[in-house]
Amino acid sequence: MSLDLDQIVLHQLIKRDEQTLDVVLRDSPLTNNQATEEMVAELHRVYSGKSKAFGLFNGESQFADALKGCRKGEASFLDFTRNSTEMLRNELAKYPFAEGGIVVFCQYRYLAVEYLLVAVLTSCSSMLVNEQLDISTTHYLDIDRADIVARIDLTEWETNPESVRYLTFLRGRVGRKVSDFFMDFLAASEGLDAKAQNRGLLQAVDDYCAEGQLNKNERQSYRQQVYTYCNGQLQSGEEIAIDELAKELPTVGEKDFRQFTNDNGYELEEHFPADRSTLRQLTKFSGSGGGITLGFDALLLGERVFWDPATDTLTIKGLPPNLRDQLQRRLSGGDN
């Protein structure tokens, strides 16, 4: 991985009781060594693989002002992190679900882009067996489950301050809304809506196929080509580029896909992140609610799966064998 670590500092938030959240601040940055470099590389890898929202700093962001001062040399990176951790503690203490954790500030460069990543990581316990086969308890940072994370693309922020996507963050788990306190701490708001961009792409694909009067199989083949490209970008950590996608797709009618999106006002960005759950709709139908979860390949609609809009019913021909076995066992037991 082509990652160069510049600076990393750790601080700690400790929850004493329901009203008290203490701060333990380091007096110096960590040394750049194999352990810290591997930790930042793992943080970068895990974070890059998560679905993220995009944002930008508000006009009166104390965090952004402090970061600017640090970048100009008006304050050291250590002082910036210490002051920011105090700000985070004050914001986090407003919420009843506030917990402690290790606050990480790391500045690094990856593929010629400079980043600042800020995260609050929890510690977990595990068992360790040494060479003498004795068992002891060890603690480790739960990076894989990190959900209080934000990353600033410093290169984008400083070269294109009008951007609406230089800051990314995780939305967090249900019932633990990161945006409620972490975005307030950063004084940032949501910018580019990646899900909306992906939904707009899907709508444009369907409309393009309809205008070209493609039949059912041709439409699904076209959707599959779009999915193959977009999923490849997702897997490689790259964004969807509309120009590049248009070159991958055959032209339908008189306009290529790029010209069609431009002429019909879909307002798609030149490039934007792929959203896995939205793109899945290109090849599958799925949904859940009222105790029912359904999912099937789009190709099966009209062949083995039939929808009657008038009665809002699905008819499925040829059930999966394991589902059929469960139904037969239940019926043989006397249940109706």
Side-chain angles (χ1 to χ4, degrees):
M1 179 178 287
S2 179
L3 188 151
D4 297 316
L5 175 60
D6 183 12
Q7 300 183 80
I8 178 171
V9 179
L10 304 184
H11 303 295
Q12 187 173 19
L13 297 171
I14 302 175
K15 186 173 184 177
R16 302 295 186 188
D17 52 47
E18 292 298 323
Q19 284 77 39
T20 307
L21 193 64
D22 288 343
V23 175
V24 177
L25 302 175
R26 275 188 63 93
D27 293 325
S28 62
L30 274 70
T31 302
N32 287 11
N33 53 32
Q34 183 177 353
T36 53
E37 289 173 359
E38 288 180 354
M39 174 186 170
V40 174
E42 181 66 4
L43 262 174
H44 174 84
R45 182 192 67 79
V46 170
Y47 183 72
S48 297
K50 291 178 179 286
S51 179
K52 296 173 283 293
F54 290 77
L56 65 161
F57 291 122
N58 298 330
E60 299 180 355
S61 170
Q62 289 185 328
F63 180 88
D65 290 342
L67 180 55
K68 284 180 182 178
C70 176
R71 299 287 287 172
K72 293 177 181 178
E74 297 172 0
S76 68
F77 186 72
L78 175 65
D79 288 341
F80 160 70
T81 66
R82 288 169 62 95
N83 292 334
S84 295
T85 302
E86 294 279 9
M87 290 168 50
L88 175 59
R89 187 270 306 273
N90 295 338
E91 187 62 43
L92 187 57
K94 300 175 184 178
Y95 295 85
F97 56 76
E99 297 177 356
I102 302 298
V103 185
V104 181
F105 293 83
C106 52
Q107 184 175 317
Y108 64 94
R109 183 178 295 273
Y110 179 72
L111 298 179
V113 177
E114 197 169 8
Y115 294 105
L116 172 67
L117 187 145
V118 185
V120 180
L121 304 179
T122 57
S123 296
C124 296
S125 298
S126 183
M127 296 294 105
L128 179 68
V129 178
N130 61 21
E131 294 179 355
Q132 289 73 41
L133 301 183
D134 293 323
I135 296 176
S136 61
T137 302
T138 185
H139 298 277
Y140 66 93
L141 293 176
D142 195 359
I143 293 177
D144 285 338
R145 297 184 185 179
D147 64 353
I148 307 176
V149 189
R151 186 173 68 184
I152 298 97
D153 182 333
L154 297 172
T155 303
E156 174 83 1
W157 181 45
E158 293 175 343
T159 59
N160 184 19
E162 300 303 315
S163 170
V164 294
R165 50 180 296 163
Y166 54 75
L167 186 150
T168 60
F169 63 98
L170 301 182
R171 295 183 184 277
R173 299 187 298 269
V174 174
R176 182 188 173 90
K177 297 180 179 178
V178 175
S179 57
D180 284 349
F181 67 88
F182 208 51
M183 293 300 281
D184 286 344
F185 153 65
L186 297 171
S189 55
E190 190 163 349
L192 175 72
D193 190 335
K195 280 187 175 291
Q197 289 287 308
N198 280 257
R199 289 194 297 267
L201 172 62
L202 267 59
Q203 185 62 58
V205 170
D206 283 345
D207 293 347
Y208 188 51
C209 291
E211 184 173 285
Q213 297 182 339
L214 302 185
N215 62 37
K216 175 192 170 184
N217 290 335
E218 290 171 334
R219 290 187 186 195
Q220 193 52 46
S221 175
Y222 209 88
R223 293 188 188 102
Q224 182 62 55
Q225 292 180 70
V226 175
Y227 178 79
T228 298
Y229 166 79
C230 294
N231 190 54
Q233 297 298 99
L234 182 66
Q235 297 301 321
S236 63
E238 301 293 331
E239 297 190 346
I240 296 170
I242 297 298
D243 285 340
E244 189 176 83
L245 172 60
K247 293 176 183 178
E248 295 277 332
L249 299 173
T251 299
V252 176
E254 299 179 354
K255 303 176 182 178
D256 69 7
F257 183 70
R258 182 49 163 161
Q259 186 179 356
F260 176 81
T261 59
N262 287 339
D263 292 349
N264 289 276
Y266 290 97
E267 299 183 353
L268 296 176
E269 298 286 330
E270 292 184 4
H271 54 88
F272 51 87
D275 181 71
R276 182 179 286 104
S277 61
T278 304
L279 292 172
R280 196 177 294 123
Q281 298 173 31
L282 285 164
T283 60
K284 292 183 179 295
F285 291 104
S286 63
S288 62
I292 296 175
T293 298
L294 289 173
F296 56 91
D297 291 341
L299 281 171
L300 299 180
L301 186 64
E303 295 184 5
R304 288 177 52 198
V305 181
F306 303 88
W307 179 44
D308 184 349
T311 60
D312 194 24
T313 57
L314 277 180
T315 301
I316 303 173
K317 293 186 176 181
L319 295 180
N322 57 349
L323 175 58
R324 187 188 310 115
D325 290 343
Q326 293 175 58
L327 293 172
Q328 288 174 340
R329 287 197 300 270
R330 182 59 60 89
L331 290 175
S332 65
D335 291 352
N336 293 320

